[in-house]
Amino acid sequence: MNKAWHRRTAATLACLLAAGSSAGWLAHARLQQLQAAFETDARIVHRLLSQRMVQHDAILSTLALLQPAEPGLGGADAALPRLPSVYPQILDVLRRPADGTWPAAAPELDAAEATSRATGHATLARPDLAAGRYHLVLASTPASYALHIDLHATVPHDEWPMDPVTSPIRVTLEHAGQAFTVQPGSTPARGWTYGFRKALASPSQPLDVVAQRVVGWDELPWFAMLGWCAATAAAAVAGRALWRHRVARRRAEELLRLGQVARLNTLGELAAGMAHELNQPLTALLSGTQAAQRLLGDDPPDLDTARTAMARAVEQARRASDVVGRLRRLVERPDLAGQMQPLQLPAAVHDVLHLLEPECRARAVVPEVQAEPGLPAVLAEPVALQQIVHNLVMNALQALEQVPAAERRLELRLGTPTPGQVQLTVRDHGPGIPPEARERLFEPFFTTRAGGLGLGLPLCESLAQAMGASLQLAPGNGRGAAFVLLLPAATPTP
Ligand code: ADP
């Protein structure tokens, strides 16, 4: 598993994470919205039901207050039969006269009346929440009163905040283990549950308003979530393409900087300059020798003039030789002394391998880099060092083209063979170098490759020498070829 694979996996994971978290955020926002709506509805339900219940206390208090002092129907008692038609939740109004009993003759009503007399407010009696019924008893003098309430009619449908049949919210009224279902709601098997429980705002009717909402998975905003995922994936793909484009552009710029292209241009310029510089002395040399040849052929030969012509020819030949020498010095001994600086060799190797990633990929070669830990910095000129490593790796890749893909191996080892020196070995498992070629590798223009210039290794050698380093071919043991670059460490050991 190589670096590219790791990078791809990391990018895919990051993309999945981004898509997942944005979809999760959308789901979370929807759940919060549903919870807020639920809590609002539950509070409205509690307020509405409380308002209805408080009415019962008010009706009982009014009956107690307005009852006639003498027994018999008069005052508010005259209105008793009409109350159920005004308040549909009141099924019946019961009255116990001062000297009588409750019409329903229920002991629970007596007990509730006693409690009411003790507490001073109405008391719940005979609760049957399954049927939605209970009595509310208020003890007063001379007569006491009780309302028979039907919970079904307590729900104010005209003000109700939701449709009681289709709403997913379940609402019940609970008291002492009994429950009256105000609306059933829907309860999916799995999902998120929100709950609400609050006692009615009537101390005489200790009923809890209980609301519950279960949000099922199908209520999540799947379309929006999938849309987000798709958008994130598209953005990631676009970002990756952009990033690749930038890397490719940077690589091309870097290659140009390294002088791969510039070097060939320079070579062309060098050849043109050389041709121009040499043309003149060679032409003069040719005409001088031709003149001498002609003069010597005369009868009698004009020896003096021929000698002068030959002397001029020698002078021109020397000039031509000087031109060549000057050019060679220029090419072979670049002056790097002023540009040396401490560099990390592993980083330089890494940069070159990054630059050559497409070349490696094209040949199915995965470079194996092994670096000793704690390598000291080297003293080198950055571009020259890159140029050398680049040429060595490129040569190795070209050599590897000649062996089957499965056998292609390229190793780069970094170590410190002796204190004060850092060594880079570039070893390939290609066909190797035949003995007759080994001697001539560093000669300018020696090449065995069709289209090769034979300038790579001589250039590397002269660059290495200019930096106080050395470049050598390792002895030919094992498979393939290995080149060893030995660089001075930046801080020489004492
Ligand atoms: P070029 O690559 O243009 O031929 P170089 O100076 O870089 O010039 O290389 C000279 C010659 O050395 C190559 O033509 C090739 O025969 C030989 N050579 C260099 N590196 C290797 C290698 N790793 N394996 C086999 N032969 C190599």
Side-chain angles (χ1 to χ4, degrees), residues 269-411:
E269 281 164 26
L270 204 74
M274 215 155 107
H276 176 76
E277 291 266 331
L278 290 178
N279 198 33
Q280 209 196 350
L282 287 177
T283 315
L285 180 69
L286 191 67
S287 63
T289 45
Q290 277 173 344
Q293 197 179 26
R294 193 166 21 82
L295 290 166
L296 289 174
D298 285 354
D299 196 16
D302 182 352
L303 289 179
D304 280 346
T305 320
R307 207 171 283 125
T308 315
M310 282 307 285
R312 263 198 221 115
V314 168
E315 198 184 312
Q316 292 302 329
R318 262 205 205 103
R319 218 181 115 195
S321 157
D322 278 356
V323 170
V324 172
R326 226 174 42 236
L327 282 169
R328 205 179 56 208
R329 277 197 300 283
L330 194 76
V331 176
E332 286 190 350
R333 284 261 164 238
D335 183 15
L336 299 176
Q339 300 146 46
M340 304 284 276
Q341 53 182 268
L343 294 172
Q344 295 299 333
L345 189 57
V349 167
H350 175 269
D351 286 350
V352 171
L353 290 180
H354 173 68
L355 216 56
L356 289 177
E357 208 180 276
E359 304 284 346
C360 293
R361 209 179 318 126
R363 295 169 177 84
V365 174
V366 180
E368 300 160 37
V369 183
Q370 277 180 25
E372 258 177 34
L375 280 179
V378 296
L379 199 60
E381 197 283 318
V383 179
L385 178 60
Q386 270 198 340
Q387 181 85 65
I388 297 173
V389 182
H390 182 276
N391 280 357
L392 294 180
V393 173
M394 210 46 224
N395 276 352
L397 287 176
Q398 282 160 353
L400 286 172
E401 283 172 8
Q402 298 167 44
V403 297
E407 294 171 25
R408 293 178 191 169
R409 279 187 68 191
L410 170 60
E411 298 167 71

Side-chain angles (χ1 to χ4, degrees), residues 51-296:
Q51 281 169 357
R52 284 294 169 107
M53 300 305 182
V54 168
Q55 277 181 356
H56 306 153
D57 292 304
I59 292 166
L60 279 174
S61 302
T62 312
L63 288 175
L65 262 177
L66 300 183
Q67 66 175 305
E70 293 303 318
L73 279 179
D77 289 353
L80 292 187
R82 290 209 308 278
L83 270 177
S85 60
V86 181
Y87 297 101
Q89 74 269 36
I90 298 177
L91 293 172
D92 202 4
V93 185
L94 309 180
R95 178 173 178 276
R96 189 192 62 73
D99 50 355
T101 56
W102 291 99
E108 293 100 320
L109 294 183
D110 289 329
E113 186 185 355
T115 310
S116 168
R117 204 171 292 286
T119 57
H121 59 70
T123 302
L124 197 79
R126 309 181 73 187
D128 180 5
L129 294 201
R133 309 251 164 119
Y134 66 89
H135 286 78
L136 190 62
V137 182
L138 179 69
S140 65
T141 312
S144 294
Y145 295 91
L147 300 180
H148 190 195
I149 311 262
D150 178 13
L151 282 172
H152 294 95
T154 51
V155 180
H157 289 291
D158 45 341
E159 295 172 70
W160 205 242
M162 54 205 142
D163 183 337
V165 180
T166 57
S167 168
I169 300 179
R170 176 177 174 76
V171 181
T172 52
L173 281 167
E174 293 181 12
H175 169 76
Q178 296 187 35
F180 168 69
T181 305
V182 179
Q183 64 180 44
S186 66
T187 44
R190 279 155 197 251
W192 293 262
T193 306
Y194 306 128
F196 175 94
R197 175 183 283 272
K198 197 170 175 189
L200 282 172
S202 160
S204 64
Q205 295 152 90
L207 299 165
D208 283 344
V209 177
V210 179
Q212 193 193 50
R213 164 84 156 101
V214 183
V215 178
W217 283 86
D218 56 334
E219 288 184 72
L220 292 182
W222 288 109
F223 271 121
M225 283 158 71
L226 289 175
W228 251 110
C229 287
T232 314
V237 169
R240 192 168 154 74
L242 203 73
W243 179 76
R244 278 187 166 191
H245 178 73
R246 277 187 55 194
V247 169
R249 207 187 56 209
R250 237 187 274 148
R251 188 175 280 139
E253 283 169 7
E254 199 50 15
L255 273 173
L256 195 72
R257 189 176 73 82
L258 243 184
Q260 282 303 95
V261 179
R263 192 158 63 92
L264 288 179
N265 288 345
T266 313
L267 200 74
E269 281 164 26
L270 204 74
M274 215 155 107
H276 176 76
E277 291 266 331
L278 290 178
N279 198 33
Q280 209 196 350
L282 287 177
T283 315
L285 180 69
L286 191 67
S287 63
T289 45
Q290 277 173 344
Q293 197 179 26
R294 193 166 21 82
L295 290 166
L296 289 174

Side-chain angles (χ1 to χ4, degrees), residues 395-396 399 428 432-433 441 446-449 452-458 481 483:
N395 276 352
D428 63 70
I433 300 167
L441 280 187
F446 172 77
T447 179
T448 59
R449 286 196 305 109
L453 284 171
L455 286 174
L457 287 175
F483 287 86

